[in-house]
Amino acid sequence: MSFQVFGIPVSRGVAIGRAVLVASSRVDVAHYFIPATEVDQEYERLMRGRDAVTRELQALKTDLPPDAPHELDALLDVHLLLLNDDALVDAARHWIEERHYNAEWALSAQLEVLARQFDEMEDEYLRERKADLEQVVERVLSALAVAQDAALPGGAAAVVARDFAGEDPLLLVAADIAPADMIQFKRSVFQGFITDIGGKTSHTAIVARSMDIPAVVGTREASRLIRQDDWVIIDGDAGTVIVNPSPIILEEYRFRQRQSELERARLARLRHTPAITLDGQRIELHANIELPGDAVAALAAGATGVGLFRSEFLFMNREGELPSEDEQFEAYKAAVEAMRGMPVTIRTVDVGADKPLDRMSVNELRHEHVLNPAMGLRAIRWSLAEPSMFRQQLRAIFRASAFGHVKLLVPMVAHLSEIRQVQEAVKRVKQQLDDSKQAYGEIQLGVMIEVPAAALMLPQLLKHVDFISIGTNDLIQYTLAIDRADEAVAHLYDPWHPAVLQLLSSSIAQARAMGKEVSVCGEMAGDAGFTDLLLSMGLNCFSMHPSQIPSVKQRVLRADAHRLATALPRILESEDPAKTAAEAFAPHQRLH
């Protein structure tokens, strides 16, 4: 039966493929693909796990005291029957052979199939046996985890692709994808994804855009309604998910998919074209990256620098261990050298809120115990609370600056005292490097404007820094008091809100008036729908995911920045800025 699920469109395009469900579990489950040569070996591993639990249950039956309730003995019999039923472990072989799932993933997938069958049973007693089935599966998963010391880390959403040999495209369906798992996701075979939660600027959405693959988030029910191996269409433009589509619908979306691929190829031809407006203004289009290897994609997309190196991704998936100074140095150096003399802006570690680490503070604070992590010990606050860690990162960044043009960016600044503490830490680090005779270059210091307080006190901040970078994602979130990852209030997250536009426009104007560099590195920078607006505000440096550069460059090449600027006062004074901007910019767009 075909049906639709609706959510929030966060990455454009069409993806068609088989659903791969990563369901949550009380037991952490590693999900990865196995090589074809290891199928038999993986099934044997699953059988060994099943046999180990069988022996365990049989031992429990044998050791029951004479006065034990009869129901307990009967319950163990039920678990043994379920465990040895062909519909469970034997049927899981299908997922190993056909989809190359590892044993844990195959068992979890089969559990979901059977659990839905139990849910559809009319007999109440039989429906309740689903809980017994789940307990049996969790026992087997635990046995597999004990036997597999080298199991992949990361929990329920950790998905890594290795030598996948299947023919059908795959789409990931999950309740959510943790930020710590995004690096693994970026290396996967998935051509699109669907999540139950999230908003337009949640980190799952940002990763989808960075991979240039279609995605829909905030569907609420997708992971419950979609079944393993269902054929699914993701319409990343409309925010629609079509499950088990009819042949006519499937063919229509395949046509749209081909058209999208042709458009990408056409935009790719702009790679070496300088981004210069019709009235002669040169616009810098920089890239946002997470790992040193992303610099290659940045260059391939035509980026003229790295406007944001999110260093926190070096700190994730490490089971509580922080990267050493040398490890960080090598990573920063690799990115700097890859950019061949172009500027690389490295943001100091920005953890907390929706990007927790295993180790979050001097007191080993855990993310889930924080009442409001978005307002808590995060970003520069965390760095200043961990002075030795912070100085270690600064040393690594300064050492890398000897190999190219490096800029230092401090996130979530709200107080002048924070800038002074950073400057003091920089002074101390430079002295340490001088004492140890280690080379370093000159580094410009900048701050992110993400907190309304920083935007409102910008004239004071600008006296102490060389440049600013406006993080529109958090600036909108904090200005409107909207959790950008919460689909329940996602409709209130509005980049066109008059207050947001006032803060954005005034920040750009004040920085330029004081002769300081200013860029926008939030999602607005990579959305071609905001390019004309940002140009009208006088912005000349955009930083975005490499995949977004071609479409923004095309918009820049067709723009007359001086003419766009004449419409800005009317937009800022409007009660409906989005409508006013569309009317003001439309004639200009038609001319070109």
Side-chain angles (χ1 to χ4, degrees), residues 27-308:
V27 176
D28 280 351
V29 179
H31 298 71
Y32 55 93
F33 295 104
I34 60 167
T37 55
E38 295 180 11
V39 165
D40 290 338
Q41 177 183 334
E42 194 67 10
Y43 179 66
E44 289 172 8
R45 190 167 76 84
L46 177 58
M47 294 300 289
R48 287 196 298 272
R50 192 268 312 263
D51 293 344
V53 176
T54 298
R55 291 191 297 271
E56 179 186 340
L57 293 177
Q58 288 172 338
L60 287 172
K61 252 180 82 70
T62 302
D63 295 339
L64 280 176
D67 58 345
H70 170 71
E71 290 80 5
L72 186 55
D73 183 70
L75 179 61
L76 290 172
D77 283 335
V78 169
H79 282 204
L80 282 166
L81 284 171
L82 290 170
L83 184 61
N84 290 279
D85 193 315
D86 291 347
L88 183 59
V89 176
D90 285 349
R93 183 175 190 128
H94 160 78
W95 301 108
I96 297 175
E97 290 181 342
E98 299 298 323
R99 284 283 172 251
H100 293 187
Y101 291 178
N102 64 303
E104 293 88 345
W105 193 356
L107 188 61
S108 299
Q110 188 59 21
L111 168 62
E112 184 187 351
V113 171
L114 295 176
R116 296 193 186 207
Q117 292 176 8
F118 275 98
D119 288 336
E120 293 166 2
M121 292 177 179
E122 294 183 6
D123 187 282
E124 184 179 354
Y125 173 80
L126 292 177
R127 281 202 309 272
E128 290 178 354
R129 299 286 67 76
K130 184 178 82 167
D132 295 314
L133 179 67
E134 291 171 339
Q135 291 169 10
V136 165
V137 168
E138 290 193 0
R139 278 185 177 273
V140 179
L141 291 173
S142 296
L144 289 169
V146 170
Q148 184 84 345
D149 292 334
L152 290 173
V159 185
V160 181
R162 304 189 313 186
D163 304 323
F164 179 69
E167 295 181 358
D168 296 331
L170 300 181
L171 309 180
L172 182 66
V173 183
D176 192 19
I177 301 170
D181 296 323
M182 290 178 185
I183 298 170
Q184 295 170 331
F185 181 77
K186 287 181 72 172
R187 293 194 289 258
S188 76
V189 298
F190 299 108
Q191 297 187 20
F193 76 84
I194 305 158
T195 63
D196 293 347
I197 66 175
K200 275 188 173 291
T201 55
S202 62
H203 283 276
T204 48
I206 291 171
V207 166
R209 285 190 286 270
S210 73
M211 295 170 67
D212 198 20
I213 61 174
V216 175
V217 304
T219 61
R220 300 199 178 201
E221 299 290 327
S223 68
R224 186 180 66 83
L225 297 172
I226 300 173
R227 300 174 185 244
Q228 289 280 6
D229 245 21
D230 276 347
W231 274 102
V232 175
I233 296 172
I234 297 177
D235 185 339
D237 298 303
T240 305
V241 176
I242 305 171
V243 184
N244 295 321
S246 67
I248 294 175
I249 296 296
L250 195 58
E251 186 53 40
E252 177 188 338
Y253 274 93
R254 281 182 172 148
F255 173 76
R256 287 180 53 183
Q257 199 173 34
R258 290 191 293 271
Q259 292 295 106
S260 179
E261 289 167 359
L262 289 172
E263 175 65 12
R264 280 196 189 94
R266 188 180 68 80
L267 287 176
R269 293 198 291 268
L270 296 175
R271 181 176 57 187
H272 299 301
T273 304
I276 300 176
T277 63
L278 293 173
D279 56 328
Q281 295 189 35
R282 183 178 182 88
I283 307 299
E284 299 298 331
L285 300 182
H286 291 177
N288 297 342
I289 67 173
E290 283 86 40
L291 296 171
D294 296 340
V296 176
L299 284 176
T304 55
V306 169
L308 178 63

